[in-house]
Amino acid sequence: MTTTGPTGCPIHAGFDPLSPEFLSDPFAVMAALPLSETPVFYAPSIDYYVVTRYADIERAFRDPATYSAAAAQAPLVPIVPEAQQILFAGGHRPAPSMVSLDEPAHARLRKPAARAFAVKRVNDMLPTIRRVAAELLDAVRDAREFDVVGALAFPLPATIVFSLMGVPERDHPQLKRWCGYRAALSWGRPAPADQVEIATNMAAYRAYLRGLVDAKVGERGNDLTSDLLAIHDEDPERLTIAEIASILFSLSFAGHETTTGLIGNTVRRLLEDPSRWDAIVSDPDLIPAAVEESLRFDPSVPVWRRVTTRPAVLGGVDLPEGARLFLWLAAGNRDPSVFPEPDRFDMRRANADQHLAFGKGLHYCLGANMGRLEARIAIEELARRFPRLRLVDGQRLDFHPNISFRGPQRLLVSATGHP
Ligand code: HEM
């Protein structure tokens, strides 16, 4: 139901991005909303203004003076004092890392981190990504049925980004678990009773990363942490040890949760219509376009956030200073004024790469090339080994209860009939 809010903004009182209906099918919720009449609306369930049009989302991304990144990972619900104390003592401050900092603090972290993601450096990782993907798929070579998320989409990006950071393999599962707590804290709706456990784990996660940097001070390796320490050695003021730990905090999460979702969503969308899978099997050159169209059609980061630093008008709605914005990237990616027939998955769409899945502007995703490469190789290896892969019928897909990271938690595929 639409009513009008205090600033004249339409309200959709029933919109709740953490409801079971939304989590299982946000696109059905999107289709039922009158978005052409109410492209910006207020959602009381989360106390956010929801922005759905491509041009309005782009405008917010490209005007950081008006639309601050500070809300990017702010908890959606109040945090109880006991949990807050644990977080604070553990070094988890309100503006805790690159993605939620504004200039100039943002650039201090982004510039050195960007060195690690130069196109050449990412392309150099290609053989490693292919080797890891091949090893993971060898393990399910003879399975008639397997979970493609558990077998490939989950371990591949984690192994790659943690190795890049220099995290020993034995610690990868622990780091993955901490990332689950982080998703719940910043993008979910944790009950007060769960917040202390989450906060304790966040403090342990922060301590682990600081310990990793300290250990690398004495024993450098061929990894990103050691590269960042080399910058610190040249000029300790330019990049402090605490800032290096903060960069690792950013990458350790952003570098895999997102890509796990991308691989899972791409495999799902390709197998949903077996003729799509058959098309990429017979023409693997289509795979990059299939990945790009998945980023548009079903982005693994469907929502990102901003907060206004001053009054502004967006999509015809007056926003007060401090208005919290839910930039619904998945809706912008289906804006018919940019993408004709937006609800159609089309691997030959000419402008699919204009999607909003990686954001825009100063915070544009640092790992976009790496995420694309990992997804491309994952699908290539899968298609080569399992040309007749199909989805297992009748399965129910589950999604982690958070607003910003989306991909099936399990995706059962049937591998029978492959040569
Ligand atoms: C593959 C799927 C991925 C998606 C859909 C994705 C999406 C995003 C989005 C929406 C943003 C925020 C952009 C903004 O605020 O304007 C972002 C930022 C970021 N991403 Fe990604 N990402 C992906 C993969 C990766 C990977 C693989 C890495 C690193 C290894 C990474 C590292 C980062 C970092 C560090 C930022 C913060 C940049 C900044 O604040 O300057 N991402 N990403």
Side-chain angles (χ1 to χ4, degrees):
M1 193 189 72
T2 313
T3 50
T4 306
T7 56
C9 179
I11 296 181
H12 290 309
F15 180 88
D16 179 0
L18 289 163
S19 66
E21 305 74 56
F22 190 96
L23 290 170
S24 81
D25 191 355
F27 301 105
V29 174
M30 193 188 292
L33 287 166
L35 294 187
S36 53
E37 290 110 68
T38 57
V40 175
F41 63 89
Y42 178 72
S45 67
I46 45 173
D47 185 22
Y48 267 76
Y49 291 82
V50 180
V51 183
T52 65
R53 263 198 316 224
Y54 187 100
D56 295 332
I57 295 172
E58 187 173 25
R59 188 158 150 216
F61 275 137
R62 293 209 187 271
D63 179 3
T66 309
Y67 301 96
S68 160
Q73 37 193 357
L76 285 163
V77 288
I79 300 299
V80 296
E82 194 188 342
Q84 237 163 16
Q85 219 172 9
I86 297 170
L87 288 171
F88 202 72
H92 191 76
R93 303 290 145 89
S97 63
M98 191 186 318
V99 79
S100 48
L101 289 170
D102 293 319
E103 303 312 317
H106 167 252
R108 268 185 71 87
L109 300 184
R110 170 134 183 153
K111 275 195 191 142
R115 282 197 191 182
F117 294 97
V119 175
K120 185 183 170 317
R121 183 103 190 228
V122 170
N123 284 339
D124 285 350
M125 294 174 71
L126 197 148
T128 311
I129 299 172
R130 201 174 288 286
R131 179 180 51 76
V132 175
E135 282 169 12
L136 291 167
L137 288 174
D138 278 348
V140 290
R141 191 174 35 207
D142 300 322
R144 291 167 66 81
E145 228 178 78
F146 63 92
D147 165 24
V148 80
V149 176
L152 179 68
F154 183 87
L156 176 69
T159 306
I160 298 301
V161 80
F162 297 157
S163 311
L164 177 84
M165 289 164 50
V167 175
E169 210 169 321
R170 62 175 182 277
D171 297 338
H172 291 186
Q174 174 62 71
L175 215 50
K176 263 286 195 187
R177 275 194 294 279
W178 282 326
C179 289
Y181 283 107
R182 184 168 173 190
L185 175 73
S186 292
W187 294 279
R189 193 184 276 154
D194 298 329
Q195 291 180 9
V196 169
E197 184 192 344
I198 292 176
T200 308
N201 276 281
M202 292 299 290
Y205 175 18
R206 290 279 191 175
Y208 175 86
L209 293 175
R210 274 196 310 272
L212 180 72
V213 181
D214 289 343
K216 295 272 172 196
V217 169
E219 200 183 329
R220 305 294 165 100
N222 181 18
D223 52 54
L224 173 68
T225 310
S226 301
D227 288 0
L228 294 172
L229 281 166
I231 299 175
H232 170 80
D233 292 343
E234 275 168 33
D235 179 1
E237 284 298 297
R238 194 156 124 233
L239 188 64
T240 65
I241 295 287
E243 285 173 323
I244 296 176
S246 172
I247 290 173
L248 297 186
F249 182 67
S250 296
L251 298 181
S252 59
F253 185 86
H256 61 89
E257 212 66 50
T258 53
T259 312
T260 295
L262 172 58
I263 297 171
N265 293 340
T266 307
V267 175
R268 173 187 179 192
R269 298 310 181 180
L270 288 174
L271 290 179
E272 231 167 31
D273 174 350
S275 73
R276 295 177 192 154
W277 187 256
D278 298 346
I280 59 125
V281 167
S282 54
D283 181 7
D285 288 348
L286 269 177
I287 293 173
V291 170
E292 219 55 44
E293 177 66 346
S294 296
L295 282 161
R296 183 199 71 83
F297 185 84
D298 190 5
S300 57
V301 179
V303 173
W304 210 244
R305 288 180 284 164
R306 290 293 186 260
V307 56
T308 53
T309 58
R310 52 194 177 207
V313 180
L314 195 62
V317 164
D318 286 319
L319 300 172
E321 179 184 335
R324 308 194 304 165
L325 306 185
F326 178 105
L327 304 178
W328 197 358
L329 312 183
N333 282 354
R334 292 193 183 209
D335 183 332
S337 70
V338 182
F339 303 105
E341 288 191 76
D343 297 327
R344 199 158 70 84
F345 183 93
D346 177 4
M347 291 190 273
R348 293 182 174 80
R349 188 179 287 281
N351 68 344
D353 64 354
Q354 281 179 29
H355 61 69
L356 296 163
F358 293 122
K360 296 263 176 192
L362 288 177
H363 287 270
Y364 179 78
C365 176
L366 209 46
N369 289 329
M370 190 167 144
R372 283 181 168 123
L373 185 67
E374 288 180 48
R376 193 195 92 201
I377 293 176
I379 309 292
E380 280 175 6
E381 292 298 318
L382 200 59
R384 206 158 53 78
R385 281 152 202 261
F386 302 107
R388 283 175 227 143
L389 202 68
R390 293 293 179 257
L391 283 181
V392 168
D393 285 338
Q395 60 181 308
R396 202 194 73 184
L397 300 185
D398 287 322
F399 297 86
H400 186 278
N402 79 88
I403 58 166
S404 278
F405 301 95
R406 182 175 167 84
Q409 292 192 299
R410 281 163 64 77
L411 189 67
L412 294 178
V413 290
S414 136
T416 47
H418 65 272

